[in-house]
Amino acid sequence: MTMAEESNCIFCKIIKGEIPSAKVYEDEDVFAFLDLSQVTMGHTLIIPKVHQKDIFHLEPEIAAKLFKHVPVIARAIQEAFHPVGMNILNNNSELAGQSVFHYHIHLIPRYGNTDTFSFSFQPHTDDYSNEQRSKIAAAIAEKIR
Ligand code: AMP
Ligand code: ZN
C-alpha cells in the first residue's frame, strides 16, 4: 500500500470524518456505517480502521477484530428492521465487483419479495469427480500457512 492509496481512499476519509457518513458503530479498530446505495434498507458496511485493500491483504489479526462485530451488527439490524434474512458479502478485485479498495463487508438485510437484491450460485456439481475435488482441496491445503 502506498501513502497515495490511503490518502485518496474514500473510506479512510469517512473514518477520519472528512466525508460525512451515517455511522452505526465505531471503536478503536472498526467503523460501521450505512452504504450510501442502500441496496436494501439498513444495508451496512463494516470496515477496519487500517487501510488494507482486500481479503488478500487483510491481516488475520485485523480480520479477527473486524469479523467479531459482524454477528453483533447483523442482530442489531435484525432487531431494528425485522428483515426475513441477510446476505453478507465482500467483493475482492474489480472483476469480482469491488469498487472501493479499502476492505469492507456488506450486510444486506433481506425483506422477501419486496427487495430487489438478487444473488445466485450456479452449481457445477456434476462437472467434477470426487477425485478432482480432492485434488483441488489438496492444492489449497498445501498453501495454508
Ligand atoms: P464494493 O462495490 O463492494 O467495493 O462496495 C463499495 C460500496 O461503497 C458501494 O456499495 C457504494 O455504494 C459504497 N459507497 C461508496 N461511497 C460511499 C460513501 N461515501 N458512503 C457510503 N457508502 C459509500
Ligand atoms: Zn482506506
Side-chain angles (χ1 to χ4, degrees), residues 10-11 14 19-22 33-39 43 45 89-92 96-102 104 106:
I10 193 163
F11 286 177
I14 284 176
I19 290 178
S21 70
F33 57 107
L34 290 194
D35 190 304
L36 207 53
S37 69
Q38 289 297 281
V39 162
H43 176 188
L45 300 175
L89 62 94
N90 149 237
N91 303 319
N92 300 281
Q98 187 174 8
S99 61
V100 176
F101 294 88
H102 179 132
H104 52 279
H106 292 262

mmCIF file of all heavy atoms in Angstrom, residues 10-11 14 19-22 33-39 43 45 89-92 96-102 104 106, ligand 1:
data_model
loop_
_atom_site.group_PDB
_atom_site.id
_atom_site.type_symbol
_atom_site.label_atom_id
_atom_site.label_comp_id
_atom_site.label_asym_id
_atom_site.label_seq_id
_atom_site.Cartn_x
_atom_site.Cartn_y
_atom_site.Cartn_z
ATOM 1 N N ILE A 10 -11.660 6.840 -0.044
ATOM 2 C CA ILE A 10 -12.911 7.425 0.438
ATOM 3 C C ILE A 10 -13.293 6.880 1.830
ATOM 4 O O ILE A 10 -13.814 7.620 2.671
ATOM 5 C CB ILE A 10 -14.026 7.196 -0.609
ATOM 6 C CG1 ILE A 10 -15.235 8.052 -0.313
ATOM 7 C CG2 ILE A 10 -14.415 5.776 -0.758
ATOM 8 C CD1 ILE A 10 -16.158 8.176 -1.495
ATOM 9 N N PHE A 11 -12.998 5.602 2.078
ATOM 10 C CA PHE A 11 -13.358 5.043 3.382
ATOM 11 C C PHE A 11 -12.412 5.544 4.478
ATOM 12 O O PHE A 11 -12.847 5.764 5.615
ATOM 13 C CB PHE A 11 -13.394 3.507 3.335
ATOM 14 C CG PHE A 11 -14.602 2.953 2.599
ATOM 15 C CD1 PHE A 11 -14.746 1.581 2.408
ATOM 16 C CD2 PHE A 11 -15.604 3.783 2.101
ATOM 17 C CE1 PHE A 11 -15.847 1.062 1.742
ATOM 18 C CE2 PHE A 11 -16.718 3.271 1.425
ATOM 19 C CZ PHE A 11 -16.834 1.899 1.250
ATOM 20 N N ILE A 14 -13.838 8.749 5.399
ATOM 21 C CA ILE A 14 -15.035 8.571 6.241
ATOM 22 C C ILE A 14 -14.623 8.309 7.690
ATOM 23 O O ILE A 14 -15.168 8.910 8.622
ATOM 24 C CB ILE A 14 -15.934 7.442 5.674
ATOM 25 C CG1 ILE A 14 -16.687 7.975 4.438
ATOM 26 C CG2 ILE A 14 -16.910 6.919 6.722
ATOM 27 C CD1 ILE A 14 -17.529 6.951 3.707
ATOM 28 N N ILE A 19 -15.318 12.984 5.272
ATOM 29 C CA ILE A 19 -16.512 12.818 4.435
ATOM 30 C C ILE A 19 -17.616 12.346 5.382
ATOM 31 O O ILE A 19 -17.364 11.474 6.217
ATOM 32 C CB ILE A 19 -16.267 11.755 3.331
ATOM 33 C CG1 ILE A 19 -15.282 12.291 2.304
ATOM 34 C CG2 ILE A 19 -17.556 11.339 2.656
ATOM 35 C CD1 ILE A 19 -14.942 11.295 1.224
ATOM 36 N N PRO A 20 -18.812 12.913 5.283
ATOM 37 C CA PRO A 20 -19.871 12.501 6.206
ATOM 38 C C PRO A 20 -20.353 11.077 5.943
ATOM 39 O O PRO A 20 -20.277 10.590 4.815
ATOM 40 C CB PRO A 20 -20.998 13.509 5.930
ATOM 41 C CG PRO A 20 -20.720 14.069 4.583
ATOM 42 C CD PRO A 20 -19.246 13.938 4.326
ATOM 43 N N SER A 21 -20.801 10.435 7.001
ATOM 44 C CA SER A 21 -21.404 9.107 6.838
ATOM 45 C C SER A 21 -22.468 8.931 7.903
ATOM 46 O O SER A 21 -22.471 9.656 8.900
ATOM 47 C CB SER A 21 -20.336 8.011 6.964
ATOM 48 O OG SER A 21 -19.890 7.912 8.308
ATOM 49 N N ALA A 22 -23.347 7.963 7.676
ATOM 50 C CA ALA A 22 -24.351 7.610 8.679
ATOM 51 C C ALA A 22 -23.757 6.491 9.527
ATOM 52 O O ALA A 22 -23.844 5.318 9.183
ATOM 53 C CB ALA A 22 -25.640 7.177 7.995
ATOM 54 N N PHE A 33 -20.992 1.769 8.991
ATOM 55 C CA PHE A 33 -21.823 2.889 8.529
ATOM 56 C C PHE A 33 -22.740 2.412 7.415
ATOM 57 O O PHE A 33 -22.508 1.365 6.801
ATOM 58 C CB PHE A 33 -20.933 4.048 8.040
ATOM 59 C CG PHE A 33 -19.961 3.681 6.952
ATOM 60 C CD1 PHE A 33 -20.171 4.097 5.645
ATOM 61 C CD2 PHE A 33 -18.834 2.901 7.214
ATOM 62 C CE1 PHE A 33 -19.280 3.756 4.626
ATOM 63 C CE2 PHE A 33 -17.941 2.551 6.207
ATOM 64 C CZ PHE A 33 -18.160 2.972 4.918
ATOM 65 N N LEU A 34 -23.777 3.188 7.152
ATOM 66 C CA LEU A 34 -24.705 2.799 6.096
ATOM 67 C C LEU A 34 -24.050 2.947 4.738
ATOM 68 O O LEU A 34 -23.380 3.951 4.469
ATOM 69 C CB LEU A 34 -25.968 3.667 6.121
ATOM 70 C CG LEU A 34 -26.945 3.483 7.272
ATOM 71 C CD1 LEU A 34 -28.265 4.174 6.922
ATOM 72 C CD2 LEU A 34 -27.185 2.017 7.608
ATOM 73 N N ASP A 35 -24.261 1.944 3.891
ATOM 74 C CA ASP A 35 -23.864 2.076 2.487
ATOM 75 C C ASP A 35 -24.798 3.102 1.857
ATOM 76 O O ASP A 35 -26.028 3.024 2.000
ATOM 77 C CB ASP A 35 -23.992 0.714 1.777
ATOM 78 C CG ASP A 35 -23.362 0.730 0.397
ATOM 79 O OD1 ASP A 35 -23.752 1.589 -0.422
ATOM 80 O OD2 ASP A 35 -22.503 -0.116 0.132
ATOM 81 N N LEU A 36 -24.165 4.073 1.195
ATOM 82 C CA LEU A 36 -24.918 5.140 0.549
ATOM 83 C C LEU A 36 -26.007 4.585 -0.370
ATOM 84 O O LEU A 36 -27.093 5.150 -0.485
ATOM 85 C CB LEU A 36 -23.926 5.970 -0.280
ATOM 86 C CG LEU A 36 -24.189 7.423 -0.584
ATOM 87 C CD1 LEU A 36 -24.476 8.231 0.667
ATOM 88 C CD2 LEU A 36 -22.978 7.998 -1.334
ATOM 89 N N SER A 37 -25.726 3.461 -1.009
ATOM 90 C CA SER A 37 -26.636 2.931 -2.036
ATOM 91 C C SER A 37 -27.866 2.243 -1.453
ATOM 92 O O SER A 37 -28.842 2.023 -2.168
ATOM 93 C CB SER A 37 -25.902 1.951 -2.948
ATOM 94 O OG SER A 37 -25.581 0.777 -2.231
ATOM 95 N N GLN A 38 -27.831 1.846 -0.170
ATOM 96 C CA GLN A 38 -28.981 1.190 0.478
ATOM 97 C C GLN A 38 -29.655 0.184 -0.458
ATOM 98 O O GLN A 38 -30.877 0.270 -0.716
ATOM 99 C CB GLN A 38 -29.985 2.239 0.989
ATOM 100 C CG GLN A 38 -29.467 3.028 2.197
ATOM 101 C CD GLN A 38 -29.220 2.141 3.400
ATOM 102 O OE1 GLN A 38 -30.133 1.757 4.116
ATOM 103 N NE2 GLN A 38 -27.941 1.784 3.638
ATOM 104 N N VAL A 39 -28.855 -0.767 -0.926
ATOM 105 C CA VAL A 39 -29.371 -1.841 -1.787
ATOM 106 C C VAL A 39 -30.658 -2.424 -1.191
ATOM 107 O O VAL A 39 -31.619 -2.717 -1.905
ATOM 108 C CB VAL A 39 -28.270 -2.903 -1.983
ATOM 109 C CG1 VAL A 39 -28.820 -4.218 -2.460
ATOM 110 C CG2 VAL A 39 -27.220 -2.374 -2.971
ATOM 111 N N HIS A 43 -28.767 -1.578 4.744
ATOM 112 C CA HIS A 43 -27.506 -2.054 4.124
ATOM 113 C C HIS A 43 -26.329 -1.325 4.783
ATOM 114 O O HIS A 43 -26.219 -0.108 4.701
ATOM 115 C CB HIS A 43 -27.587 -1.772 2.621
ATOM 116 C CG HIS A 43 -26.367 -2.101 1.818
ATOM 117 N ND1 HIS A 43 -26.263 -1.737 0.490
ATOM 118 C CD2 HIS A 43 -25.217 -2.759 2.108
ATOM 119 C CE1 HIS A 43 -25.102 -2.145 -0.001
ATOM 120 N NE2 HIS A 43 -24.447 -2.764 0.969
ATOM 121 N N LEU A 45 -22.035 -1.269 5.971
ATOM 122 C CA LEU A 45 -20.664 -1.697 5.685
ATOM 123 C C LEU A 45 -19.872 -1.706 6.986
ATOM 124 O O LEU A 45 -20.018 -0.796 7.813
ATOM 125 C CB LEU A 45 -19.985 -0.728 4.710
ATOM 126 C CG LEU A 45 -20.648 -0.555 3.340
ATOM 127 C CD1 LEU A 45 -19.933 0.537 2.538
ATOM 128 C CD2 LEU A 45 -20.644 -1.871 2.564
ATOM 129 N N LEU A 89 -21.640 -10.196 2.350
ATOM 130 C CA LEU A 89 -20.706 -10.465 1.264
ATOM 131 C C LEU A 89 -19.597 -9.434 1.206
ATOM 132 O O LEU A 89 -19.666 -8.370 1.814
ATOM 133 C CB LEU A 89 -21.441 -10.558 -0.074
ATOM 134 C CG LEU A 89 -22.182 -9.337 -0.580
ATOM 135 C CD1 LEU A 89 -21.292 -8.552 -1.509
ATOM 136 C CD2 LEU A 89 -23.414 -9.777 -1.332
ATOM 137 N N ASN A 90 -18.575 -9.798 0.452
ATOM 138 C CA ASN A 90 -17.376 -8.975 0.340
ATOM 139 C C ASN A 90 -16.806 -9.203 -1.050
ATOM 140 O O ASN A 90 -16.599 -10.336 -1.452
ATOM 141 C CB ASN A 90 -16.395 -9.415 1.458
ATOM 142 C CG ASN A 90 -14.945 -9.250 1.093
ATOM 143 O OD1 ASN A 90 -14.196 -10.229 1.126
ATOM 144 N ND2 ASN A 90 -14.532 -8.071 0.753
ATOM 145 N N ASN A 91 -16.645 -8.125 -1.808
ATOM 146 C CA ASN A 91 -16.106 -8.224 -3.161
ATOM 147 C C ASN A 91 -14.609 -7.921 -3.138
ATOM 148 O O ASN A 91 -14.195 -6.946 -2.514
ATOM 149 C CB ASN A 91 -16.814 -7.209 -4.074
ATOM 150 C CG ASN A 91 -18.328 -7.416 -4.090
ATOM 151 O OD1 ASN A 91 -18.791 -8.546 -4.119
ATOM 152 N ND2 ASN A 91 -19.089 -6.337 -4.061
ATOM 153 N N ASN A 92 -13.832 -8.735 -3.834
ATOM 154 C CA ASN A 92 -12.390 -8.533 -3.888
ATOM 155 C C ASN A 92 -11.940 -8.508 -5.336
ATOM 156 O O ASN A 92 -12.086 -9.505 -6.039
ATOM 157 C CB ASN A 92 -11.661 -9.654 -3.131
ATOM 158 C CG ASN A 92 -12.068 -9.701 -1.679
ATOM 159 O OD1 ASN A 92 -11.592 -8.911 -0.875
ATOM 160 N ND2 ASN A 92 -12.990 -10.588 -1.334
ATOM 161 N N ALA A 96 -14.439 -8.947 -9.445
ATOM 162 C CA ALA A 96 -15.427 -9.505 -8.520
ATOM 163 C C ALA A 96 -16.396 -8.451 -7.996
ATOM 164 O O ALA A 96 -17.173 -8.729 -7.090
ATOM 165 C CB ALA A 96 -14.707 -10.206 -7.364
ATOM 166 N N GLY A 97 -16.337 -7.260 -8.564
ATOM 167 C CA GLY A 97 -17.324 -6.242 -8.201
ATOM 168 C C GLY A 97 -16.869 -5.233 -7.172
ATOM 169 O O GLY A 97 -17.677 -4.426 -6.703
ATOM 170 N N GLN A 98 -15.575 -5.271 -6.798
ATOM 171 C CA GLN A 98 -15.098 -4.297 -5.809
ATOM 172 C C GLN A 98 -14.936 -2.928 -6.470
ATOM 173 O O GLN A 98 -14.341 -2.809 -7.541
ATOM 174 C CB GLN A 98 -13.752 -4.753 -5.215
ATOM 175 C CG GLN A 98 -13.281 -3.882 -4.052
ATOM 176 C CD GLN A 98 -12.025 -4.429 -3.367
ATOM 177 O OE1 GLN A 98 -11.405 -5.386 -3.847
ATOM 178 N NE2 GLN A 98 -11.651 -3.821 -2.265
ATOM 179 N N SER A 99 -15.467 -1.903 -5.812
ATOM 180 C CA SER A 99 -15.325 -0.548 -6.358
ATOM 181 C C SER A 99 -14.606 0.385 -5.399
ATOM 182 O O SER A 99 -14.079 1.403 -5.813
ATOM 183 C CB SER A 99 -16.696 0.030 -6.737
ATOM 184 O OG SER A 99 -17.523 0.110 -5.596
ATOM 185 N N VAL A 100 -14.575 0.039 -4.117
ATOM 186 C CA VAL A 100 -13.799 0.819 -3.142
ATOM 187 C C VAL A 100 -12.734 -0.120 -2.590
ATOM 188 O O VAL A 100 -13.049 -1.186 -2.036
ATOM 189 C CB VAL A 100 -14.688 1.365 -2.005
ATOM 190 C CG1 VAL A 100 -13.825 2.087 -0.970
ATOM 191 C CG2 VAL A 100 -15.751 2.315 -2.557
ATOM 192 N N PHE A 101 -11.466 0.303 -2.740
ATOM 193 C CA PHE A 101 -10.360 -0.616 -2.441
ATOM 194 C C PHE A 101 -9.813 -0.412 -1.029
ATOM 195 O O PHE A 101 -8.623 -0.227 -0.813
ATOM 196 C CB PHE A 101 -9.309 -0.516 -3.549
ATOM 197 C CG PHE A 101 -9.878 -1.032 -4.859
ATOM 198 C CD1 PHE A 101 -10.568 -0.178 -5.704
ATOM 199 C CD2 PHE A 101 -9.826 -2.381 -5.173
ATOM 200 C CE1 PHE A 101 -11.162 -0.654 -6.876
ATOM 201 C CE2 PHE A 101 -10.423 -2.871 -6.329
ATOM 202 C CZ PHE A 101 -11.090 -2.006 -7.188
ATOM 203 N N HIS A 102 -10.750 -0.432 -0.090
ATOM 204 C CA HIS A 102 -10.490 -0.500 1.353
ATOM 205 C C HIS A 102 -11.417 -1.618 1.810
ATOM 206 O O HIS A 102 -12.644 -1.513 1.632
ATOM 207 C CB HIS A 102 -10.821 0.854 2.011
ATOM 208 C CG HIS A 102 -10.613 0.921 3.491
ATOM 209 N ND1 HIS A 102 -9.921 1.964 4.099
ATOM 210 C CD2 HIS A 102 -11.019 0.110 4.503
ATOM 211 C CE1 HIS A 102 -9.915 1.779 5.411
ATOM 212 N NE2 HIS A 102 -10.586 0.648 5.678
ATOM 213 N N HIS A 104 -14.029 -4.152 2.979
ATOM 214 C CA HIS A 104 -15.325 -3.918 3.638
ATOM 215 C C HIS A 104 -16.235 -5.131 3.486
ATOM 216 O O HIS A 104 -16.180 -5.845 2.504
ATOM 217 C CB HIS A 104 -16.017 -2.659 3.098
ATOM 218 C CG HIS A 104 -16.140 -2.638 1.604
ATOM 219 N ND1 HIS A 104 -15.100 -2.270 0.786
ATOM 220 C CD2 HIS A 104 -17.175 -2.945 0.780
ATOM 221 C CE1 HIS A 104 -15.491 -2.345 -0.477
ATOM 222 N NE2 HIS A 104 -16.746 -2.763 -0.509
ATOM 223 N N HIS A 106 -20.210 -6.226 3.379
ATOM 224 C CA HIS A 106 -21.586 -5.736 3.202
ATOM 225 C C HIS A 106 -22.547 -6.581 4.039
ATOM 226 O O HIS A 106 -22.524 -7.812 3.937
ATOM 227 C CB HIS A 106 -22.046 -5.907 1.751
ATOM 228 C CG HIS A 106 -21.355 -5.057 0.747
ATOM 229 N ND1 HIS A 106 -21.881 -3.874 0.286
ATOM 230 C CD2 HIS A 106 -20.194 -5.223 0.075
ATOM 231 C CE1 HIS A 106 -21.076 -3.355 -0.630
ATOM 232 N NE2 HIS A 106 -20.045 -4.154 -0.783
HETATM 233 P P1 AMP B 1 -17.923 -2.612 -3.398
HETATM 234 O O1 AMP B 1 -18.526 -2.344 -4.752
HETATM 235 O O2 AMP B 1 -18.120 -3.982 -2.855
HETATM 236 O O3 AMP B 1 -16.462 -2.166 -3.375
HETATM 237 O O4 AMP B 1 -18.724 -1.674 -2.403
HETATM 238 C C1 AMP B 1 -18.472 -0.324 -2.258
HETATM 239 C C2 AMP B 1 -19.705 0.287 -1.659
HETATM 240 O O5 AMP B 1 -19.361 1.544 -1.115
HETATM 241 C C3 AMP B 1 -20.826 0.525 -2.666
HETATM 242 O O6 AMP B 1 -21.950 -0.276 -2.306
HETATM 243 C C4 AMP B 1 -21.118 2.015 -2.529
HETATM 244 O O7 AMP B 1 -22.500 2.309 -2.533
HETATM 245 C C5 AMP B 1 -20.499 2.354 -1.188
HETATM 246 N N1 AMP B 1 -20.063 3.729 -1.049
HETATM 247 C C6 AMP B 1 -19.284 4.430 -1.893
HETATM 248 N N2 AMP B 1 -19.089 5.678 -1.405
HETATM 249 C C7 AMP B 1 -19.762 5.754 -0.227
HETATM 250 C C8 AMP B 1 -19.945 6.774 0.762
HETATM 251 N N3 AMP B 1 -19.411 7.982 0.631
HETATM 252 N N4 AMP B 1 -20.692 6.480 1.833
HETATM 253 C C9 AMP B 1 -21.251 5.265 1.978
HETATM 254 N N5 AMP B 1 -21.105 4.271 1.095
HETATM 255 C C10 AMP B 1 -20.379 4.501 0.007
#
